[in-house]
Amino acid sequence: MTIHTPPPEGGRIVDEPMAEALSRRYLAYALSTITNRALPDVRDGFKPVHRRIMYAMHQMRLNPQAAARKCAKVVGEVMGTYHPHGDASIYDALVRLAQDFAQRYPLVDGQGNFGNIDGDNAAAMRYTECKLTAAAVLLMDGIDQDSVDFRPTYDDQDEEPVVLPAGFPNLLANGSSGIAVGMATSIPPHNVGELIDACLLLLDRPEATTAELVEIVPGPDFPTGGVAVEGHASILEAYETGRGGVRLRARWEREPLDRGGYQIVITEVPYQVQKGKLIEALAELIEQKKAPLLGDVRDESAEDIRVVIEPKSRNIDAESLMESLFRLSDLEIRFPVNMNVLDATGTPHVMGLKPCLQAFLDHRREVLNRRSQWRIERVEKRLHLLEGLRIVFLNLDEVIRIVREEEQPKAVMIARFGLTEMQADYILDTRLRQLARIEEMAIENEYKALAEELANLQALSSSPAKQWKKIGQELAATRKAMVSPRRTTIAEAVDASAFVTAEAFIPKEAITVILSERGWIRAVKGKVDDPSELKFKEGDSLGFLVPAFTTDKLLVAASDGRVFTVGADKLASGRGHGEPLRLMIELEESAGIIAVLAHQSGSKLLMASKAGYGFIAPEDDLLAQKRGGKQVLNGDLLAVIRVTGDHIVTIGENLKTLIFKAEELPEMGRGKGVKLQSFKQGGLTDIAVFIGDVGPEWVDGGGRRRNWPDWKDWLGKRAGAGRMGPRGLRKFR
């Protein structure tokens, strides 16, 4: 890409192609978003805003033993000194660090209302208080000992850490999520004890495989618990490649009631699922009749989660009920795994479990070496000063004389005893009472201890084996301080293909679907023997009467050529007048209902238009998932007839009739179709399908059905003009 230099002084216009200008600026924006907002650092697991919050609270000395301070004070410090962005985003990040249902190991100890698992927001920052937790202290340990690099803040007035020392693998322990331009990350939380055990295995055997690590870290450990049902093979692949997912279910138990009844109690919900919205969704399933096995749901939670689910009847199997709810609601989620992180150089990478842990260990080694070097410098400086004091005690009288009598005692002592300027200054600044005999013994003891410490530090700095051993000891101590039992159970994989649809749980009962002329639909149990006894709204009458079962799907064909799908189990009870069909499907005001059929899998339907065109459509292809239905026939739909015979008979507005074989019609999923019968004027008025061995029937003006023994006289080829039909023939149905 060409880099254009700024215009000469005084110029304000840069002549540059638009494509280059946009791509260059958007690339800069994308890089900024990726590195400064969305992706965490693999070493400490933090994005800049979280790291700045941690460091600001450390600088404010908000350790676990200190009194909590107002969150508004912390947010103001972070925004003013380190993070030049909005206070709302900073406070949101701080709140999340304090939520025990969002963080597996909370890093902020919040006092006040910090939100809840129901989805309620935290109180305003002026009401809440915060301080660091013990886990946060472990992440900050050694930051004042030159263990990490610092860089200038945005206004060059101060410095901020590039990365935190990170006493435990926070990236995997607390997880992370974010989205940038073309990149995203989604890392689930884990149990820190298992992570440290995996680190110790890598320290002992660097060649250990991901499969061996997964034996120690069997899967994520979410703060809200739950049951992971992804399966070992899928989790291993996710940890190997850094991409995958984990299916997480709510934890539930069956609670027996009197008279053989039972209820289901949910004690843990999936990670990041708001309990309040989950209960609303379950209640909506009941209202919309999408969960036929679910009777009722209520929230009895106090401090612990307790969501009670009641089955529709005591005869329903609890496992079947929960399987249906796992499929229909967020009682089961799939948490995506995309371990996209920034490495030590700030480059985005998708890393597996082992590379993430190895990057953390490498970081800990660098922190250890830098802390050791920092300590070596200070020990050497102190030993240097103590050597000067030892000379003083050996020549105390002479030193006192020089101080009392010489005009330049510093220069004289340097020349007399071979001291350095630093030692001479330190001796001259020493108070007389520190020259007592007991102080001489303390100095000797301190000198010996520091000399021994220096030798150990120098040996540590020069030996990688000792460094890794020291790191292992530190991690073991951290594990002991942070150990906590696993919350998420790793269960056997559940075969998704074994899941059945919700309709499979619907009790199969015979019903009769009633659709009025004005479009009110309802269902009554059993068979309607006398349709004349049915009651409708004033001015309305019977339109369609369809026998079906509660497990059926109804195909509703409209005059505009669309076919809609309605679940028979979702129809209103037959006790009233039902409900408008247009509330269940998106039917145009100008369109009318042509046919209502109970879907039969494997069957075929004859679709015919008023213009005299048609085709045969596989019935399974007509099922629609959306309220808008499927556009099947292009044109004005005249009839939809299930193909149960081998011959087709048509009659036009000119009263001419044609009979041809059904095999002459093509099978199509949608379209205009082919010509059924030719007309000079007008179009098609009726069509029927019949079996040749039986023969067709037609209806006369009095409504009586008549046989047609000589129908073969009208037999021809599709698209023929036909001939005048028998006297009185007007329709077939």
Side-chain angles (χ1 to χ4, degrees):
M1 183 181 294
T2 304
I3 304 299
H4 294 271
T5 57
E9 187 174 355
R12 301 181 60 186
I13 299 176
V14 176
D15 187 6
E16 182 179 12
M18 176 63 75
E20 288 190 16
L22 288 177
S23 62
R24 184 155 48 84
R25 287 162 174 77
Y26 195 73
L27 178 61
Y29 163 73
L31 290 174
S32 174
T33 305
I34 290 169
T35 57
N36 294 327
R37 294 187 186 181
L39 301 189
D41 192 298
V42 68
R43 296 169 291 179
D44 63 1
F46 281 132
K47 302 174 188 178
V49 63
H50 303 106
R51 190 178 298 114
R52 289 163 177 167
I53 291 172
M54 292 286 97
Y55 185 64
M57 295 179 71
H58 170 75
Q59 291 294 88
M60 295 172 70
R61 291 176 171 77
L62 295 178
N63 54 60
Q65 294 76 33
R69 300 287 295 276
K70 286 285 187 182
C71 290
K73 175 78 172 178
V74 175
V75 171
E77 177 67 19
V78 173
M79 182 169 60
T81 308
Y82 306 106
H83 198 67
H85 299 279
D87 59 337
S89 63
I90 299 172
Y91 185 52
D92 287 345
L94 187 150
V95 165
R96 182 171 174 78
L97 292 174
Q99 293 173 333
D100 58 1
F101 54 87
Q103 297 283 297
R104 181 62 179 85
Y105 300 94
L107 304 177
V108 172
D109 182 3
Q111 298 182 13
N113 176 15
F114 275 78
N116 55 39
I117 200 170
D118 280 334
D120 297 330
N121 294 327
M125 67 181 80
R126 61 183 178 273
Y127 300 120
T128 55
E129 298 179 342
C130 65
K131 59 182 178 179
L132 294 174
T133 63
V137 172
L138 290 172
L139 293 176
M140 306 291 298
D141 187 29
I143 197 169
D144 298 324
Q145 299 175 6
D146 193 34
S147 58
V148 293
D149 289 332
F150 279 73
R151 63 187 170 202
T153 55
Y154 70 94
D155 57 0
D156 290 330
Q157 298 297 310
D158 212 324
E159 286 189 329
E160 62 174 328
V162 175
V163 65
L164 299 186
F168 63 90
N170 178 60
L171 174 73
L172 295 172
N174 276 321
S176 183
S177 63
I179 186 167
V181 179
M183 287 192 179
T185 186
S186 180
I187 303 172
H190 294 78
N191 187 283
V192 76
E194 296 173 354
L195 293 174
I196 291 178
D197 287 343
C199 289
L200 295 176
L201 175 62
L202 285 177
L203 292 178
D204 185 49
R205 291 177 44 240
E207 72 281 1
T209 63
T210 303
E212 293 176 293
L213 295 176
V214 172
E215 293 297 322
I216 299 174
V217 185
D221 187 22
F222 297 98
T224 54
V227 181
V229 293
E230 187 60 34
H232 178 77
S234 296
I235 291 178
L236 175 58
E237 182 180 0
Y239 284 150
E240 189 75 55
T241 63
R243 299 183 188 275
V246 178
R247 279 176 33 223
L248 185 66
R249 289 182 165 188
R251 192 183 301 276
W252 62 278
E253 57 188 29
R254 187 181 186 275
E255 204 172 74
L257 300 176
D258 295 338
R259 299 179 181 178
Y262 75 91
Q263 63 185 16
I264 291 172
V265 178
I266 296 172
T267 56
E268 294 174 1
V269 298
Y271 183 54
Q272 294 181 340
V273 172
Q274 297 178 0
K275 177 167 63 69
K277 290 187 177 180
L278 175 63
I279 293 173
E280 291 177 8
L282 291 174
E284 189 174 349
L285 289 176
I286 298 174
E287 184 178 349
Q288 295 182 356
K289 300 181 180 180
K290 291 184 178 179
L293 303 185
L294 179 59
D296 192 17
V297 58
R298 62 182 182 273
D299 188 6
E300 296 182 355
S301 304
E303 292 184 2
D304 297 328
I305 293 177
R306 181 181 169 85
V307 177
V308 177
I309 290 177
E310 293 184 357
K312 198 106 176 188
S313 73
R314 69 180 65 181
N315 298 325
I316 295 174
D317 180 59
E319 293 283 349
S320 299
L321 170 58
M322 291 307 298
E323 285 295 336
S324 68
L325 295 183
F326 287 143
R327 186 175 179 85
L328 293 169
S329 71
D330 281 345
L331 285 173
E332 176 183 305
I333 65 167
R334 183 173 178 82
F335 188 89
V337 175
N338 182 18
M339 299 168 71
N340 196 2
V341 295
L342 300 176
D343 64 12
T345 64
T347 305
H349 285 290
V350 177
M351 296 185 179
L353 176 63
K354 183 177 179 179
C356 283
L357 293 176
Q358 191 60 57
F360 165 74
L361 291 174
D362 292 341
H363 175 59
R364 286 303 300 170
R365 183 184 179 190
E366 182 180 354
V367 168
L368 176 64
N369 285 332
R370 293 184 60 152
R371 290 179 66 179
S372 299
Q373 191 58 41
W374 179 87
R375 182 60 182 165
I376 286 173
E377 292 174 359
R378 277 148 184 78
V379 170
E380 287 178 340
K381 180 179 178 180
R382 180 61 179 170
L383 286 173
H384 184 62
L385 297 177
L386 291 177
E387 286 176 353
L389 287 179
R390 293 172 76 189
I391 293 175
V392 168
F393 282 109
L394 291 175
N395 303 277
L396 185 58
D397 293 337
E398 179 64 14
V399 170
I400 293 174
R401 185 196 68 76
I402 292 174
V403 172
R404 292 182 62 185
E405 299 178 1
E406 297 292 339
E407 293 183 3
Q408 299 292 332
K410 177 179 176 181
V412 173
M413 281 195 295
I414 291 175
R416 176 74 174 79
F417 303 112
L419 301 175
T420 63
E421 186 173 347
M422 180 187 297
Q423 289 174 321
D425 287 335
Y426 185 71
I427 292 169
L428 292 173
D429 291 338
T430 301
R431 296 181 180 180
L432 288 175
R433 64 183 177 186
Q434 291 181 275
L435 301 179
R437 181 67 182 171
I438 190 170
E439 287 297 327
E440 182 180 3
M441 295 174 61
I443 289 172
E444 283 297 324
N445 292 335
E446 182 183 359
Y447 186 89
K448 291 179 182 178
L450 289 177
E452 183 179 354
E453 181 183 356
L454 179 61
N456 292 334
L457 289 171
Q458 289 173 338
L460 180 66
S461 298
S462 60
S463 173
K466 290 185 177 181
Q467 293 168 11
W468 290 125
K469 183 178 179 181
K470 178 67 174 176
I471 290 171
Q473 293 172 347
E474 292 177 349
L475 287 176
T478 300
R479 187 191 190 287
K480 187 175 181 180
M482 296 187 65
V483 65
S484 64
R486 169 173 274 276
R487 298 179 185 177
T488 300
T489 301
I490 306 298
E492 293 295 326
V494 177
D495 185 6
S497 64
F499 287 171
V500 291
T501 60
E503 288 77 9
F505 298 112
I506 301 172
K508 187 174 183 178
E509 298 177 353
I511 58 171
T512 300
V513 179
I514 304 166
L515 178 62
S516 74
E517 289 287 349
R518 292 187 175 180
W520 287 73
I521 192 168
R522 65 187 191 266
V524 296
K525 292 184 178 180
K527 181 181 178 182
V528 175
D529 296 321
D530 187 1
S532 62
E533 295 182 357
L534 295 174
K535 295 182 180 180
F536 299 92
K537 289 178 176 288
E538 185 176 351
D540 202 357
S541 60
L542 178 63
F544 297 90
L545 198 68
V546 183
F549 290 94
T550 51
T551 54
D552 285 339
K553 294 288 187 183
L554 299 178
L555 297 178
V556 180
S559 59
D560 59 1
R562 285 194 294 171
V563 177
F564 304 87
T565 304
V566 177
D569 62 303
K570 298 176 177 59
L571 299 180
S573 170
R575 295 180 180 176
H577 295 107
E579 60 181 342
L581 180 61
R582 294 179 187 273
L583 295 179
M584 306 175 71
I585 59 176
E586 295 178 358
L587 181 64
E588 297 290 339
E589 290 292 334
S590 58
I593 303 300
I594 300 299
V596 179
L597 299 148
H599 169 64
Q600 293 180 8
S601 181
S603 297
K604 299 176 181 179
L605 296 178
L606 169 62
M607 313 289 293
S609 69
K610 291 181 179 180
Y613 290 83
F615 59 90
I616 293 176
E619 198 166 323
D620 293 336
D621 293 349
L622 305 185
L623 290 173
Q625 302 296 327
K626 299 181 180 179
R627 295 177 70 243
K630 278 188 176 182
Q631 185 70 45
V632 179
L633 182 133
N634 298 334
D636 292 333
L637 185 63
L638 172 71
V640 177
I641 305 170
R642 184 165 283 122
V643 180
T644 56
D646 50 12
H647 285 73
I648 295 173
V649 56
T650 61
I651 182 172
E653 293 179 6
N654 58 8
L655 302 183
K656 287 189 176 182
T657 301
L658 176 67
I659 298 176
F660 57 90
K661 293 183 177 180
E663 63 187 25
E664 295 185 41
L665 279 186
E667 191 170 304
M668 303 167 56
R670 60 170 295 176
K672 179 181 179 181
V674 297
K675 184 175 288 188
L676 303 172
Q677 184 178 352
S678 296
F679 310 101
K680 288 185 178 180
Q681 291 182 344
L684 193 67
T685 58
D686 203 2
I687 187 170
V689 178
F690 68 94
I691 300 173
D693 293 340
V694 177
E697 291 182 341
W698 54 278
V699 180
D700 64 16
R704 291 170 298 191
R705 303 199 66 82
R706 294 183 176 274
N707 293 326
W708 194 352
D710 55 347
W711 62 270
K712 291 184 179 179
D713 294 341
W714 280 263
L715 186 62
K717 292 292 184 180
R718 177 189 60 78
R723 52 181 289 204
M724 295 298 293
R727 184 182 297 274
L729 174 59
R730 296 292 184 273
K731 60 181 181 178
F732 304 110
R733 293 165 292 160

